[in-house]
Amino acid sequence: MTEKKFSVCFEPSHKIINGQRGDSLLDLAIAAGTGLCASCGGEGVCGRCRIKLVEGELECEDHLQISTEEFAQGIRLACQSRLISNVTVEILAESRFDTALSGDAISCTLQSQPELSENKAFLPLRKVFLKLTPPSSTDNASDLARLKRFLKPVCPAEADIDYHLLSGLSETLREKNWEVTLSLLKTPGGEKIINIQPGDQTKATYAFAFDIGTTGVRGQLVELTESKVLAQATEYNGQIPLGEDVISRINYAAREGGLIQLQRAVVNTLNNLGNAMLSEYGLEADDISFATIAANTTITQLLYGLDPKHLRLAPYVPTANELPLIPARHINLSICPQAYIYTLPCVASYVGGDIVAGVISTNIPRREGLVLYIDIGTNGEIVVGNKDFMLTASCSAGPAFEGGGIKNGMLAKPGAVEDIELDTQNFEPKLSIIGGGNPKGICGAGLINTVSALLKCGLLGQNGKYNSNIKTIRLRKGADGCEYVLAFGREFGQGQDITLSEVDIDNLIRAKAAMYAGYQTLLESAGASFDNLEKVIIAGTFGAKLNIKKAINIGLLPELPEERFIFVGNGSLAGARLCAFDANAQTQAAAAAKMMTNVELSESTSFMDNYMAAMFLPHTKSSDFPEVYAALSKFNGGNT
Amino acid sequence: MTEKKFSVCFEPSHKIINGQRGDSLLDLAIAAGTGLCASCGGEGVCGRCRIKLVEGELECEDHLQISTEEFAQGIRLACQSRLISNVTVEILAESRFDTALSGDAISCTLQSQPELSENKAFLPLRKVFLKLTPPSSTDNASDLARLKRFLKPVCPAEADIDYHLLSGLSETLREKNWEVTLSLLKTPGGEKIINIQPGDQTKATYAFAFDIGTTGVRGQLVELTESKVLAQATEYNGQIPLGEDVISRINYAAREGGLIQLQRAVVNTLNNLGNAMLSEYGLEADDISFATIAANTTITQLLYGLDPKHLRLAPYVPTANELPLIPARHINLSICPQAYIYTLPCVASYVGGDIVAGVISTNIPRREGLVLYIDIGTNGEIVVGNKDFMLTASCSAGPAFEGGGIKNGMLAKPGAVEDIELDTQNFEPKLSIIGGGNPKGICGAGLINTVSALLKCGLLGQNGKYNSNIKTIRLRKGADGCEYVLAFGREFGQGQDITLSEVDIDNLIRAKAAMYAGYQTLLESAGASFDNLEKVIIAGTFGAKLNIKKAINIGLLPELPEERFIFVGNGSLAGARLCAFDANAQTQAAAAAKMMTNVELSESTSFMDNYMAAMFLPHTKSSDFPEVYAALSKFNGGNT
Ligand code: FES
Ligand code: FES
């Protein structure tokens, strides 16, 4: 073999692979097992394989799919880039499988991109085709003994057999003239025969990976032998009618029959998603041999019918964080009844398998440099760590990021203002509206971007109060104090003006202060500061829509060079999928869960101090936001 | 510790233990884990602890329970015998737990004798009591993690948990203030938590051991921690109405729904036996944590719902010989639903777990000397071997031993002639009748004893024909040739005479010839002869009633010194019980099953020759039966 010359590091998965001069970055990304999209197969026409050069140099041909500005920012097509030095590249969120999931109803997207696991030997479920010699008078071993004898060369440690298979064994073996396919599941004790099918069924091994959020549930249909994502789907969690958030669902579970209702509701959602993906791909439930699930602790308990009541009573103890492999039939998940479900381990009542999944999908337990992993939302989740330690916290930011508690707030749906430009002379707005058309409200991202814009033009003070000295028809007194009018109803032929009041802004400040104080407190607990961070990993569907600069402006994100931020999309789903492809990832997840120490922010005194200090735009401590302060200095003449 | 001076070998289990001068044989038998009865606790009054001195000397006090003749034969009470030399003693069949099972309806016998397994660490199921520290804010591990942490010191290898237990886990832990009892099952992969009960439940661990015969089913309720047999029960196999023998049941299983009916029928029998023992001992089904089962191959397959059709189609292949541990709920066995069933492994279609159980209960795989193990019956089963090899054969002897095919034959029930004395002058019989009273027929043992007696007085020739030269009213021509009248109907005020015709005798000769030819063929296959046998082990309920001398007279048993024969009663039940007490016995059973080579007698040419040679009383080869021939020489003046 020729000597490998250069190393390539793919972010955010932090997968490192060696390559030779001239190797295609797309090929390397595939070989490294990153989830890079390449819809045109590397022809340079689909424009999906976008990467960003972070460090080093690449040889790149000109291509129409990249604009001049993008090129200047380091954006490249992986399939058109060749290796000429050691490089670090980031696979952009939109080029990864797990991002760009739409949030409404069921939607499926067919994809067939390879995402090779590093080693086939680590598949958690494998299929093995065996041709047995039929019994004869000189070889009249039992059917099971015969099967095990022929299995031995490919599975040296004797595999247990699921006793449910015994009753059909004799017929299955004889159905296709002693040719059978075994499904072997990796278990803590070795391998277990969980299914036996007549004939050769090894051409494909299908599994489901699910991320069950409190609100949204996302699933992917994957094929294990070639590590492909074949379809994906998303739907609201069917438990929502029984309780909007986890606390109300824990309460609902205490009712007579409530727990079973909650369990059925979420399994029903999984089955709907599963059926949608199966029918899209022309498969049957029986074809699915394995499933992996990542969810927060409450949802995990509800899914398996475990009473969650102790999750909300001090000292907040789950029934189990690490669950055994559980047969699909136990919860009526519509896949092959012999199939098992792997569940990402949870850490504590408020740190679930979803975070653990995110942590392993971004390889935090193998990173040298310190990283901050954040999933911004009503319940923000934060991890600080690297290969040596991991601290986690869950942070009640409130619903502002999802448009909640804001007079004209709304979810990020068509009609939501998601961005704004303000004319610095007359303070007139230019709105970006999801789906175009008339504005109906402001979504979380719009809220952040609007506050950032108001601040930068001096209309809003750092204390979150409007500068009433500025005269414009857009600024007026309203029911909740001073407010800025993003859109007059009459402009768009609708009744209501869309406004942002000081009360709304105060809600946003509380939310961002909680997040920021969370990062800060965790970092302090680790004896570190923002400067020590090599990367800030932003996960989640909300995170994917964040404008880094504007989020820094309001102090939601720390002021760090922009290249230190990485978006990873749905890290939870990515982790679940990884655990379907690779049993080592399951081992990593268990190890990561054990490494993670939860910090209870509500019990930390420094959190309260940090929170108070962050109740300002961007922050009371100017030295932590020097550039933002510098830009704002024209309005307030220096420090506040 | 003082030096052990003498060694004691207990037959038939062949357990060897060292003792000191003066040690009580009863104490040694208990310490060695033999199944010796001692109902009076060693007071010398119950007379149950009967042993027979085979080799060496014992110091024995006089006791009323042993007759002078018995004493001369070496019979002793174990509790009244003290060690003064190396000895070999045999525990007599009537003094072991597994013998003396009556065959009719359900019968329970309460016993509470210790049968210590050699090492508690080898219990296949153990209970562990744990006092957990309740969770606190500084120790908020999940319930499962807490349980495993406290389990660690007593179970260093992490134990899997049955996922069915998760849903009740949190409540069970809290029910008795964090005190719980775990049931740990030994599995091939380590230990598995199969039950969790609040409080301390370790005082007793109950299990069932079953021997499922084609005709009769025997069960014992045992307690594992003290290795006690608490109750036993026996009942006809509920499958009998669906087919008298295994072949007709295999045919029945081929009908629509037939297999399920057969499965339900035998499970129903087990549940009836179980309930009878439970109610006798005041326990609930939930209290039974484990079950072991020994049965022939067909019954084993039917029990687990495995289609037996290939058992009777060449090349006669079972679905499985070695079964995994199977949850009780899978077959609706009425014990704790979390409990598992261990099944003695089978060897081939016609060599089942019942034989394997017998082989391990008599320790054949550890014996130096060659032994012959025989279970005489319609389907006679034969094993020849020792620690180096084991050959098995199944031998279709026909129903004569169970009184079948004999005009006045009957089962060994009240009214059956079981023995006879013949006046050598006038050939008048003195009958021994089961239960006393009037004779109704002849059972298998009676048949053997009658033929032996007829032969010894010269009334019957070695060719199985009556000597019509002898004139007695007892000998006459009947429908089936010449016949001997055991009882005239008028003597007992009943219509029918009870007779034994030459046709009946011919049936017996065929049956005994098949058995004898079976032993002989197996021995020849092993390159050995009867002289090489250290022991002949006679198992089974029929065997227990055999009179060795008389069985030798007719050539059912080989002519060997009487002390080489041992009766073991129900070896199958003994093996099943052993596997409940000792996981090592399970390992031994698996190893024994693998060591056993089945010899298909019907395909052996030497079997046919041996069979023909044995169609004589006792045998055509006089040199194999020198004493019998010598005794008969007065009638025929030497060799035939
Ligand atoms: S793969 Fe389509 S442009 Fe690169
Ligand atoms: S134990 Fe009762 S006589 Fe020996």
Side-chain angles (χ1 to χ4, degrees):
Chain A
M1 254 176 72
T2 24
E3 204 193 330
K4 300 284 182 187
K5 286 277 183 48
F6 302 117
S7 100
V8 186
C9 171
F10 290 100
E11 297 289 1
S13 64
H14 205 65
K15 289 196 167 152
I16 295 168
I17 191 168
N18 289 321
Q20 285 182 280
R21 172 177 296 271
D23 278 357
S24 143
L25 267 277
L26 176 60
D27 294 346
L28 292 166
I30 290 169
T34 69
L36 181 57
C37 297
S39 304
C40 71
E43 296 291 329
V45 295
C46 72
R48 294 215 55 188
C49 63
R50 290 154 71 96
I51 55 173
K52 187 177 169 185
L53 185 58
V54 177
E55 237 183 274
E57 280 186 278
L58 290 170
E59 185 184 82
C60 297
E61 281 145 54
D62 250 358
H63 27 63
L64 287 171
Q65 311 293 338
I66 305 286
S67 72
T68 321
E69 299 92 55
E70 285 175 332
F71 196 87
Q73 289 162 22
I75 308 295
R76 302 287 184 271
L77 291 184
C79 68
Q80 304 300 315
S81 303
R82 317 216 149 259
L83 198 58
I84 52 169
S85 75
N86 293 334
V87 286
T88 297
V89 299
E90 180 186 338
I91 298 180
L92 295 179
E94 65 268 29
S95 300
R96 287 196 303 271
F97 292 140
D98 35 36
T99 50
L101 273 177
S102 71
D104 295 350
I106 297 185
S107 76
C108 288
T109 323
L110 184 79
Q111 291 179 313
S112 56
Q113 318 315 330
E115 177 176 355
L116 296 172
S117 69
E118 279 152 32
N119 192 334
K120 287 277 154 60
F122 295 118
L123 281 179
L125 183 106
R126 61 175 175 136
K127 285 189 175 182
V128 168
F129 173 60
L130 300 176
K131 290 183 183 209
L132 313 190
T133 311
S136 64
S137 60
T138 53
D139 170 16
N140 61 355
S142 75
D143 292 342
L144 180 60
R146 180 173 311 278
L147 188 69
K148 288 192 174 180
R149 191 205 311 157
F150 281 84
L151 179 58
K152 195 103 190 168
V154 286
C155 178
E158 178 154 316
D160 271 358
I161 186 164
D162 186 325
Y163 57 84
H164 292 95
L165 301 177
L166 291 172
S167 61
L169 179 62
S170 292
E171 288 324 293
T172 307
L173 290 178
R174 287 160 179 85
E175 190 173 329
K176 290 259 169 89
N177 197 26
W178 300 90
E179 298 191 352
V180 284
T181 301
L182 303 193
S183 298
L184 298 174
L185 177 74
K186 270 211 170 60
T187 69
E191 282 186 293
K192 179 167 180 158
I193 305 169
I194 62 153
N195 204 5
I196 306 179
Q197 299 164 284
D200 186 350
Q201 303 284 336
T202 52
K203 62 183 184 306
T205 307
Y206 301 104
F208 282 147
F210 289 111
D211 158 51
I212 313 180
T214 308
T215 305
V217 183
R218 287 147 214 98
Q220 287 186 331
L221 167 62
V222 299
E223 198 288 311
L224 303 186
T225 55
E226 301 201 346
S227 302
K228 281 183 180 171
V229 177
L230 303 175
Q232 55 190 25
T234 180
E235 191 181 18
Y236 279 115
N237 187 329
Q239 295 173 324
I240 293 174
L242 311 177
E244 285 259 326
D245 52 27
V246 294
I247 296 297
S248 51
R249 288 184 207 167
I250 291 173
N251 292 339
Y252 193 92
R255 295 193 195 182
E256 180 76 27
L259 178 56
I260 287 179
Q261 262 185 284
L262 283 157
Q263 184 188 28
R264 288 201 188 130
V266 67
V267 171
N268 198 37
T269 302
L270 297 181
N271 287 341
N272 289 344
L273 288 174
N275 291 339
M277 295 188 287
L278 288 174
S279 64
E280 159 131 357
Y281 208 71
L283 294 175
E284 302 287 322
D286 254 12
D287 296 323
I288 307 298
S289 309
F290 190 53
T292 59
I293 288 176
N296 68 45
T297 309
T298 303
I299 302 291
T300 301
Q301 295 228 167
L302 295 175
L303 176 65
Y304 295 115
L306 311 181
D307 188 347
K309 81 171 173 217
H310 299 285
L311 291 178
R312 66 163 307 196
L313 299 172
Y316 315 109
V317 174
T319 297
N321 284 321
E322 198 167 346
L323 288 154
L325 288 162
I326 290 178
R329 76 172 85 76
H330 186 58
I331 62 166
N332 294 320
L333 184 66
S334 295
I335 62 176
C336 172
Q338 267 76 250
Y340 279 74
I341 307 167
Y342 166 81
T343 315
L344 270 288
C346 301
V347 176
S349 286
Y350 294 106
V351 184
D354 47 356
I355 301 296
V356 174
V359 156
I360 61 155
S361 73
T362 54
N363 235 335
I364 298 175
R366 287 181 178 175
R367 288 175 183 264
E368 293 284 337
L370 194 67
V371 298
L372 170 66
Y373 176 100
I374 57 187
D375 191 337
I376 300 167
T378 307
N379 283 291
E381 272 133 358
I382 313 170
V383 182
V384 163
N386 59 13
K387 66 178 180 51
D388 299 320
F389 73 95
M390 282 186 277
L391 298 180
T392 66
S394 164
C395 174
S396 250
F401 297 122
E402 298 176 42
I406 306 296
K407 191 177 160 219
N408 290 118
M410 67 180 284
L411 283 173
K413 289 183 180 183
V417 174
E418 61 170 354
D419 205 356
I420 193 171
E421 270 177 49
L422 281 187
D423 186 310
T424 47
Q425 300 303 314
N426 60 15
F427 307 106
E428 281 301 303
K430 207 176 114 196
L431 305 179
S432 300
I433 292 153
I434 297 179
N438 290 347
K440 294 179 186 154
I442 317 170
C443 69
L447 191 63
I448 292 165
N449 296 340
T450 304
V451 171
S452 166
L454 290 166
L455 194 63
K456 297 239 2 202
C457 72
L459 209 51
L460 188 69
Q462 288 185 258
N463 57 1
K465 304 291 173 208
Y466 286 108
N467 183 345
S468 47
N469 297 330
I470 296 177
K471 297 301 166 202
T472 153
I473 53 157
R474 294 275 165 181
L475 206 59
R476 69 186 188 197
K477 269 260 175 293
D480 292 327
C482 207
E483 62 187 20
Y484 175 80
V485 185
L486 283 85
F488 290 106
R490 60 176 186 273
E491 288 180 79
F492 301 97
Q494 61 194 23
Q496 283 268 197
D497 297 345
I498 294 171
T499 61
L500 189 69
S501 74
E502 287 175 349
V503 170
D504 294 335
I505 293 169
D506 192 52
N507 276 332
L508 177 66
I509 291 176
R510 286 173 193 281
K512 73 95 192 172
M515 290 301 302
Y516 191 87
Y519 325 144
Q520 209 178 358
T521 308
L522 267 200
L523 277 168
E524 286 166 7
S525 305
S529 70
F530 288 111
D531 286 339
N532 301 125
L533 292 175
E534 189 182 86
K535 289 286 170 198
V536 176
I537 300 171
I538 300 170
T541 36
F542 175 70
K545 292 179 184 125
L546 266 192
N547 177 305
I548 299 282
K549 273 227 172 69
K550 294 174 181 175
I552 293 173
N553 277 338
I554 71 156
L556 170 60
L557 293 178
E559 191 183 298
L560 291 172
E562 222 179 311
E563 61 272 17
R564 292 213 208 159
F565 293 90
I566 323 180
F567 292 104
V568 293
N570 188 334
S572 173
L573 184 59
R577 191 183 53 235
L578 204 58
C579 290
F581 288 148
D582 188 352
N584 281 345
Q586 299 176 5
T587 313
Q588 276 170 37
K594 293 214 169 77
M595 256 180 87
M596 287 158 85
T597 308
N598 190 39
V599 175
E600 198 50 68
L601 294 179
S602 61
E603 289 167 9
S604 155
T605 50
S606 70
F607 174 74
M608 256 344 253
D609 296 343
N610 289 333
Y611 176 68
M612 295 314 294
M615 294 281 281
F616 203 68
L617 296 170
H619 197 271
T620 53
K621 203 167 160 206
S622 60
S623 59
D624 279 356
F625 288 83
E627 285 187 25
V628 181
Y629 266 81
L632 298 178
S633 62
K634 57 187 171 197
F635 305 117
N636 50 28
N639 280 359
T640 312
Chain B
M1 255 178 72
T2 22
E3 205 191 328
K4 298 285 181 185
K5 287 272 183 55
F6 302 116
S7 103
V8 186
C9 172
F10 289 99
E11 297 290 359
S13 65
H14 204 65
K15 289 194 167 155
I16 294 167
I17 192 168
N18 290 321
Q20 285 182 279
R21 173 177 294 273
D23 278 356
S24 143
L25 266 278
L26 176 61
D27 293 346
L28 292 167
I30 291 169
T34 69
L36 181 57
C37 296
S39 303
C40 71
E43 297 290 333
V45 293
C46 71
R48 296 217 52 191
C49 62
R50 290 153 72 93
I51 55 174
K52 185 176 169 188
L53 184 58
V54 177
E55 237 181 273
E57 282 186 277
L58 289 171
E59 182 183 85
C60 296
E61 280 146 54
D62 249 356
H63 26 66
L64 287 173
Q65 310 295 335
I66 303 284
S67 71
T68 321
E69 298 93 59
E70 285 175 332
F71 196 85
Q73 288 163 21
I75 309 294
R76 303 286 183 273
L77 291 184
C79 68
Q80 304 300 315
S81 304
R82 316 217 150 259
L83 199 57
I84 52 169
S85 74
N86 293 333
V87 285
T88 297
V89 298
E90 181 186 337
I91 299 179
L92 295 179
E94 66 267 32
S95 300
R96 288 197 303 271
F97 293 139
D98 35 38
T99 49
L101 273 175
S102 71
D104 294 351
I106 296 185
S107 76
C108 286
T109 324
L110 185 80
Q111 290 180 311
S112 56
Q113 318 316 332
E115 176 176 358
L116 296 173
S117 69
E118 280 152 29
N119 192 331
K120 286 280 154 56
F122 295 116
L123 280 179
L125 183 106
R126 61 178 177 135
K127 286 190 173 182
V128 167
F129 174 59
L130 299 176
K131 290 183 182 211
L132 313 189
T133 313
S136 65
S137 60
T138 53
D139 170 16
N140 60 357
S142 75
D143 292 342
L144 180 60
R146 178 174 313 278
L147 187 68
K148 288 191 174 182
R149 192 207 309 156
F150 280 84
L151 179 59
K152 194 102 189 166
V154 286
C155 178
E158 179 156 314
D160 271 359
I161 187 166
D162 185 326
Y163 58 86
H164 292 95
L165 301 177
L166 292 171
S167 62
L169 178 62
S170 293
E171 289 324 294
T172 306
L173 289 179
R174 287 161 179 86
E175 191 173 327
K176 289 260 167 90
N177 197 26
W178 300 90
E179 298 190 351
V180 284
T181 301
L182 304 193
S183 298
L184 299 173
L185 176 74
K186 272 213 169 60
T187 69
E191 282 186 293
K192 180 166 181 159
I193 305 170
I194 61 151
N195 203 7
I196 305 179
Q197 298 164 284
D200 186 351
Q201 303 283 338
T202 52
K203 64 184 182 308
T205 307
Y206 300 105
F208 282 148
F210 289 111
D211 159 51
I212 315 179
T214 308
T215 305
V217 182
R218 288 147 213 97
Q220 287 186 331
L221 166 64
V222 299
E223 198 287 310
L224 302 187
T225 55
E226 302 201 346
S227 304
K228 282 183 182 172
V229 177
L230 305 175
Q232 55 190 27
T234 180
E235 192 182 15
Y236 279 115
N237 187 327
Q239 294 172 326
I240 294 175
L242 311 178
E244 284 258 326
D245 53 26
V246 295
I247 295 296
S248 52
R249 288 183 207 167
I250 292 173
N251 292 338
Y252 195 91
R255 294 192 195 185
E256 181 76 30
L259 179 56
I260 288 180
Q261 261 186 285
L262 282 158
Q263 184 188 27
R264 287 203 188 125
V266 66
V267 171
N268 197 38
T269 302
L270 297 181
N271 287 341
N272 288 345
L273 288 174
N275 291 338
M277 295 188 287
L278 289 172
S279 66
E280 158 133 358
Y281 209 73
L283 294 175
E284 303 286 321
D286 254 13
D287 296 323
I288 306 298
S289 308
F290 190 53
T292 59
I293 289 176
N296 68 45
T297 310
T298 303
I299 302 291
T300 301
Q301 295 230 165
L302 294 175
L303 176 65
Y304 294 115
L306 311 182
D307 188 346
K309 80 171 171 216
H310 299 286
L311 291 178
R312 65 164 308 200
L313 298 174
Y316 316 110
V317 174
T319 297
N321 283 321
E322 198 168 347
L323 288 155
L325 288 162
I326 290 178
R329 75 171 86 74
H330 186 57
I331 61 165
N332 294 319
L333 184 66
S334 293
I335 62 176
C336 171
Q338 268 76 249
Y340 280 74
I341 307 167
Y342 166 80
T343 314
L344 269 290
C346 301
V347 176
S349 286
Y350 295 105
V351 185
D354 46 355
I355 301 296
V356 174
V359 156
I360 60 156
S361 73
T362 52
N363 236 336
I364 298 176
R366 287 183 178 172
R367 288 177 185 260
E368 292 285 338
L370 193 66
V371 298
L372 170 66
Y373 176 100
I374 57 186
D375 192 336
I376 299 168
T378 308
N379 282 293
E381 272 133 358
I382 313 171
V383 182
V384 163
N386 60 12
K387 67 179 179 45
D388 299 319
F389 73 95
M390 280 186 278
L391 297 182
T392 66
S394 166
C395 175
S396 250
F401 298 122
E402 296 174 44
I406 305 297
K407 190 177 161 221
N408 289 117
M410 67 179 285
L411 283 173
K413 290 182 176 182
V417 173
E418 60 172 353
D419 206 354
I420 192 169
E421 271 178 50
L422 281 188
D423 186 309
T424 49
Q425 301 304 314
N426 60 14
F427 307 105
E428 281 302 303
K430 205 174 116 197
L431 304 179
S432 300
I433 292 154
I434 298 178
N438 290 349
K440 294 180 186 151
I442 317 171
C443 69
L447 190 61
I448 292 166
N449 297 340
T450 304
V451 171
S452 167
L454 290 167
L455 194 62
K456 294 223 34 186
C457 70
L459 210 48
L460 188 69
Q462 289 186 254
N463 58 1
K465 303 294 173 205
Y466 286 108
N467 184 347
S468 47
N469 298 329
I470 297 178
K471 298 301 166 199
T472 154
I473 52 157
R474 294 273 164 183
L475 204 60
R476 69 185 188 198
K477 269 260 175 285
D480 292 328
C482 208
E483 63 188 19
Y484 176 80
V485 185
L486 283 84
F488 288 104
R490 60 177 187 273
E491 289 180 78
F492 302 98
Q494 60 195 21
Q496 283 269 196
D497 297 345
I498 294 170
T499 60
L500 189 68
S501 72
E502 287 175 350
V503 170
D504 294 335
I505 293 168
D506 192 52
N507 277 332
L508 177 66
I509 291 178
R510 285 173 194 279
K512 73 95 191 170
M515 290 300 302
Y516 190 86
Y519 325 144
Q520 209 179 356
T521 308
L522 268 199
L523 277 169
E524 285 166 8
S525 305
S529 69
F530 288 113
D531 285 340
N532 301 126
L533 291 175
E534 189 181 270
K535 290 284 169 199
V536 177
I537 301 171
I538 300 170
T541 35
F542 174 70
K545 290 177 186 128
L546 266 193
N547 176 303
I548 299 282
K549 273 226 175 69
K550 295 176 182 175
I552 292 174
N553 277 340
I554 70 155
L556 169 59
L557 293 178
E559 190 183 297
L560 291 171
E562 223 182 312
E563 62 272 18
R564 291 213 208 158
F565 292 90
I566 322 177
F567 290 103
V568 295
N570 188 335
S572 173
L573 183 59
R577 189 184 56 233
L578 203 59
C579 289
F581 288 149
D582 187 352
N584 282 346
Q586 299 177 7
T587 313
Q588 276 169 34
K594 292 214 170 77
M595 256 180 87
M596 286 158 86
T597 307
N598 190 37
V599 175
E600 198 51 69
L601 294 180
S602 61
E603 290 169 8
S604 155
T605 51
S606 68
F607 174 74
M608 255 344 255
D609 296 343
N610 289 333
Y611 176 67
M612 294 314 293
M615 292 282 280
F616 202 68
L617 294 171
H619 197 269
T620 54
K621 205 170 159 203
S622 60
S623 58
D624 281 357
F625 288 85
E627 287 187 23
V628 180
Y629 265 81
L632 297 179
S633 61
K634 58 184 169 200
F635 304 116
N636 47 29
N639 280 359
T640 313

